[in-house]
Amino acid sequence: MNNQTKRRNWEATGAFFCFTSGIGAALFGSILTAATWITGAQLHPWLHGLGTTLLIVTIPLLIFSGYCLDWMERNATTRRSQQKESARLS
């Protein structure tokens, strides 16, 4: 496996992991926040803090997944243009 394939696999894996983690964090954070409304934040203050933290972490995870996808696409475009150039020179 060459270096380009490893990098592309890493980018796709990173994008998938960050996207699924971001969606999971949003869902779990929403559930924890709703649980504090039901039980009251005074009984379990850490639930409110954890729910808020998960909701905040969602944004950077989704942004980074988009960055990984853009990075993967940019490298694929560069690789295609290099292949066309080498085919034209041959």
Side-chain angles (χ1 to χ4, degrees), residues 6-79:
K6 287 180 186 177
R7 185 180 310 140
R8 188 174 41 166
N9 288 339
W10 179 86
E11 293 161 352
T13 303
F16 175 76
F17 176 74
C18 288
F19 183 75
T20 55
S21 298
I23 297 300
L27 292 174
F28 197 59
S30 297
I31 290 169
L32 289 178
T33 301
T36 60
W37 295 339
I38 295 169
T39 62
Q42 296 80 15
L43 294 176
H44 301 287
W46 58 272
L47 274 179
H48 181 67
L50 184 61
T52 303
T53 302
L54 286 173
L55 288 173
I56 291 171
V57 166
T58 299
I59 297 168
L61 284 171
L62 294 178
I63 289 172
F64 189 68
S65 71
Y67 176 75
C68 286
L69 289 174
D70 287 343
W71 191 12
M72 187 172 65
E73 184 179 340
R74 182 179 60 227
N75 287 337
T77 304
T78 303
R79 191 173 58 250

